[in-house]
Amino acid sequence: MGNMVDQFQPAMAIFCLLILFTLDFTVAQTGVCYGRDGNNLPSPGDVVALYNQNNIRRMRIYNPDQPTLQALRGSNIEVILGVPNTDLENVAASQANANTWVQNNIRNYPNVRFRYIAVGNEVSPLRDTSRYVRFVLPALQNIQIAISNAGLGNQIKVSTAIETGVLGNSYPPADGVFRSDVTSYLNPIIRFLANNGAPLLVNVYPYFSYIGNKGSIDIQYALFQSDGITVPGGIRYQNLFYALVDATYAALEKSGGSSLEIVVSESGWPSAGGDSATLDNERIYITNLIQRVKTGTPKRPNRPIETYIFAMFDENQKGGAESEKHFGIFSPNRQPKFQFSFN
């Protein structure tokens, strides 16, 4: 009996490790953002079918489009649902308004697997979204109360999405800090997230960091193809994505948010329309990103990074620079622009 127990324990330990690894990679599963700024995109039903066909188990949508929510019913796809910036003032104005928003867009869809609510996207005192700054925290609070009152607080976390332009310093990553002109906006949000056990959503784009700093950043480093660099302090970084994520973690620690997890709510590379925007660069970036997020950063090793690729489709009506129209991993005809695998 003693020998059987001795043999059983290592076998059981290996079995438990296998379960842990399986869970880790399930948690790490990469999602894809479904933007809808195009006049030639597939129907929501066809989009959900395309997610399922390609084993994409997580989706980010930017507003509560009712046909999309209806198409998601019973799909088992986990969803980040956005409260658009244009809705923030209304949701912040009263608890009743937030309750109505949650009723119409969450509670009316009990068989949709909502994971996070993103209350605002890239609202910042530094951007053209600055007019929404004063609404974000009260909107977060009102949506959180509505979610809690609906008995959904354990399964749906309420957060907001920021971009890395709010960092005042990002190199070396350990010296990451938020700009002094955004801390009065961000610090109360960080406290809110910490108090509610919610992650911070961060849009992370090595592409934009690279084209803005070509003199000091190697494109191979931005595309996950570098041997890496050793930063001051002796830590080695294989890629710019890890460095940006860790710089944001360092900034959170300096702002009372050391307990927060980062969810990368957007990351991608354009295939056309801009500097270094080629189909081959997009392919290299996306295929490497899918693999690299499984292993964690130097600051958070062995902790997969929940990440959402931007975007599902090229969007011909998207505003901003021409490159913004070319971030899709699929063309609007539902054909993949290059080979990739979410398995």
Side-chain angles (χ1 to χ4, degrees):
M1 186 68 177
N3 287 341
M4 287 180 64
V5 170
D6 289 343
Q7 291 166 5
F8 175 77
Q9 286 175 334
M12 194 63 187
I14 291 167
F15 178 69
C16 289
L17 275 172
L18 285 171
I19 289 175
L20 280 171
F21 282 129
T22 304
L23 289 174
D24 270 351
F25 289 117
T26 302
V27 169
Q29 192 112 42
T30 308
V32 181
C33 302
Y34 170 32
R36 296 172 44 256
D37 291 331
N39 61 9
N40 58 351
L41 298 178
S43 70
D46 285 343
V47 172
V48 170
L50 193 60
Y51 271 70
N52 283 328
Q53 288 158 18
N54 288 276
N55 197 35
I56 304 169
R57 305 311 312 148
R58 288 179 176 158
M59 175 190 290
R60 180 182 179 186
I61 57 176
Y62 292 87
N63 59 65
D65 176 64
Q66 299 299 300
T68 300
L69 292 174
Q70 288 159 14
L72 282 163
R73 283 176 161 156
S75 69
N76 217 31
I77 293 169
E78 292 187 288
V79 178
I80 301 180
L81 174 61
V83 179
N85 294 345
T86 49
D87 286 3
L88 294 176
E89 182 175 6
N90 176 64
V91 169
S94 74
Q95 188 59 55
N97 290 355
N99 292 347
T100 298
W101 196 97
V102 167
Q103 179 64 52
N104 291 344
N105 304 310
I106 303 285
R107 299 184 75 173
N108 283 356
Y109 296 93
N111 52 352
V112 173
R113 290 188 66 188
F114 296 104
R115 184 170 178 81
Y116 308 119
I117 301 176
V119 180
N121 184 53
E122 295 189 350
V123 175
S124 166
L126 312 173
R127 296 170 60 99
D128 55 2
T129 54
S130 60
R131 64 187 180 275
Y132 302 114
V133 161
R134 63 195 176 100
F135 305 125
V136 174
L137 183 62
L140 281 165
Q141 292 166 332
N142 288 349
I143 292 287
Q144 179 66 56
I145 289 168
I147 288 292
S148 297
N149 288 347
L152 299 170
N154 288 332
Q155 67 191 73
I156 303 173
K157 296 300 180 183
V158 180
S159 186
T160 190
I162 67 167
E163 43 88 28
T164 54
V166 296
L167 292 171
N169 183 60
S170 60
Y171 184 85
D175 291 346
V177 66
F178 293 121
R179 287 175 52 138
S180 59
D181 48 1
V182 302
T183 52
S184 63
Y185 164 62
L186 285 179
N187 285 357
I189 291 172
I190 291 165
R191 284 195 296 272
F192 167 88
L193 297 175
N195 289 341
N196 288 284
L200 177 65
L201 309 180
V202 185
N203 299 342
V204 179
Y205 284 98
Y207 171 73
F208 292 116
S209 298
Y210 165 69
I211 63 170
N213 300 274
K214 289 180 74 173
S216 55
I217 298 174
D218 179 5
I219 191 169
Q220 304 304 319
Y221 185 60
L223 288 171
F224 301 95
Q225 290 192 305
S226 165
D227 289 335
I229 61 171
T230 301
V231 303
I235 299 171
R236 191 160 185 81
Y237 276 86
Q238 191 276 331
N239 60 74
L240 182 54
F241 177 87
Y242 285 173
L244 289 168
V245 171
D246 275 0
T248 311
Y249 268 124
L252 282 172
E253 289 168 2
K254 296 177 182 72
S255 296
S258 57
S259 67
L260 295 190
E261 285 285 333
I262 287 172
V263 168
V264 176
S265 42
E266 291 181 11
S267 193
W269 194 286
S271 61
D275 186 353
S276 306
T278 68
L279 184 59
D280 200 45
N281 283 347
E282 183 187 17
R283 175 189 62 78
I284 292 166
Y285 183 82
I286 296 298
T287 53
N288 280 308
L289 178 71
I290 291 169
Q291 296 306 315
R292 290 288 180 176
V293 298
K294 294 176 180 177
T295 55
T297 68
K299 200 167 180 61
R300 296 286 192 278
N302 305 315
R303 286 166 68 175
I305 309 158
E306 184 178 340
T307 298
Y308 294 77
I309 291 168
F310 187 87
M312 192 66 172
F313 301 105
D314 286 347
E315 298 171 65
N316 65 0
Q317 293 180 316
K318 194 157 178 62
E322 177 64 22
S323 63
E324 297 276 355
K325 298 178 171 66
H326 301 281
F327 273 84
I329 59 174
F330 287 88
S331 298
N333 65 3
R334 291 180 278 169
Q335 294 305 305
K337 288 162 63 179
F338 48 88
Q339 275 198 315
F340 52 81
S341 174
F342 288 89
N343 294 321

